[in-house]
Amino acid sequence: MTPTAVITGSMCAASVRCYAAALTAPRLLIDLDEVHLPLRHSHHRYRIDGPGGVQTLTVPLVGSTNNMATPLRDVLIAEHGNWRRLHWGALFSAYGRSPYFDYVADDLQRVIMGNQRYLHDFNQQLHALMVDFLDLPLQTAFLHDFEMPEGASALDLRSRIGIKHGDHLPIVNVPYYQMWDSDSGFRSDLSILDLAMNMGREAILTLKAMLPTALLVC
């Protein structure tokens, strides 16, 4: 049975594999009440590929990420280390010459260089930008605001996606054009930003091709 919704935590420029999984349902529900976030790391880290190879970019947080019982909705961004300029510099270096960078660069820079206080605001702005730019058929809501219709089902991915230990999804890796694949080979675990910069709106064809029937079992 096809799920009514997919449930995830709040993720920072989530992986291509995560977005493929999200397309199994028309609605994506984001849980802002998740705790123990260090077990996953994808809430404030994302991977890109550039001339120096794969790079993990981290949004610094207020408080220790080693013992974060704070719900995601209350997690604050720490404005130290000039991280916003470092992220933007890394993204420009990685994708400045990619086929679709110029189409999204201004909007992406506004998000990266913004003044968000809360991590979930930063994550949500990146997500909204990608959904709009790639024209993805996803309606996004927060889990606490959504009442599941009677008889409906949801695919819960909250404990199955992460950067630290990879994901546990039955997703097929479908190679797509990557600027740096001649140097490093195809990378399957990168942020949706990589797919967007290299494929533009054709990205949805890659995402749909990654979905086996097994993922539709709730």
Side-chain angles (χ1 to χ4, degrees):
M1 179 175 63
T2 301
T4 301
V6 170
I7 302 174
T8 72
S10 178
M11 288 179 281
C12 186
S15 70
V16 172
R17 290 172 60 82
C18 174
Y19 273 88
L23 289 180
T24 60
R27 188 179 297 274
L28 179 66
L29 302 178
I30 298 175
D31 182 8
L32 296 183
D33 295 313
E34 272 199 308
V35 293
H36 304 303
L37 301 174
L39 297 178
R40 198 181 67 225
H41 286 284
S42 54
H43 60 290
H44 74 135
R45 295 178 182 175
Y46 58 104
R47 286 192 177 121
I48 63 173
D49 194 14
V54 174
Q55 182 177 2
T56 299
L57 301 180
T58 302
V59 178
L61 306 178
V62 173
S64 172
T65 58
N66 292 321
N67 186 25
M68 187 173 285
T70 305
L72 190 284
R73 69 171 65 249
D74 297 324
V75 174
L76 293 168
I77 294 173
E79 295 296 342
H80 60 69
N82 206 21
W83 72 269
R84 292 182 186 270
R85 291 192 179 278
L86 292 174
H87 279 221
W88 179 246
L91 287 166
F92 186 85
S93 176
Y95 302 115
R97 292 182 292 166
S98 64
Y100 294 94
F101 179 81
D102 289 343
Y103 293 93
V104 73
D106 289 345
D107 291 332
L108 180 59
Q109 186 177 27
R110 275 193 288 271
V111 175
I112 298 294
M113 301 300 295
N115 59 359
Q116 307 91 345
R117 293 184 60 221
Y118 290 93
L119 177 64
H120 75 83
D121 285 334
F122 180 77
N123 291 353
Q124 189 61 19
Q125 288 176 31
L126 282 176
H127 170 70
L129 176 59
M130 288 295 97
V131 170
D132 179 66
F133 177 59
L134 300 178
D135 196 24
L136 300 180
L138 279 177
Q139 301 175 32
T140 305
F142 296 121
L143 182 60
H144 65 273
D145 291 332
F146 183 74
E147 184 174 346
M148 191 71 67
E150 185 176 352
S153 61
L155 180 62
D156 191 344
L157 302 181
R158 283 173 291 188
S159 63
R160 301 172 68 183
I161 298 175
I163 282 182
K164 188 174 182 180
H165 299 298
D167 65 53
H168 303 284
L169 302 176
I171 295 290
V172 178
N173 290 325
V174 176
Y176 57 87
Y177 170 75
Q178 293 176 325
M179 279 189 61
W180 307 105
D181 65 354
S182 60
D183 298 327
S184 59
F186 178 74
R187 303 287 190 174
S188 63
D189 58 350
L190 300 178
S191 164
I192 188 65
L193 295 173
D194 185 80
L195 181 62
M197 300 301 180
N198 287 307
M199 299 296 292
R201 289 196 170 181
E202 290 187 10
I204 192 170
L205 301 178
T206 299
L207 295 173
K208 287 184 174 181
M210 295 170 68
L211 289 174
T213 305
L215 193 57
L216 300 179
V217 179
C218 302

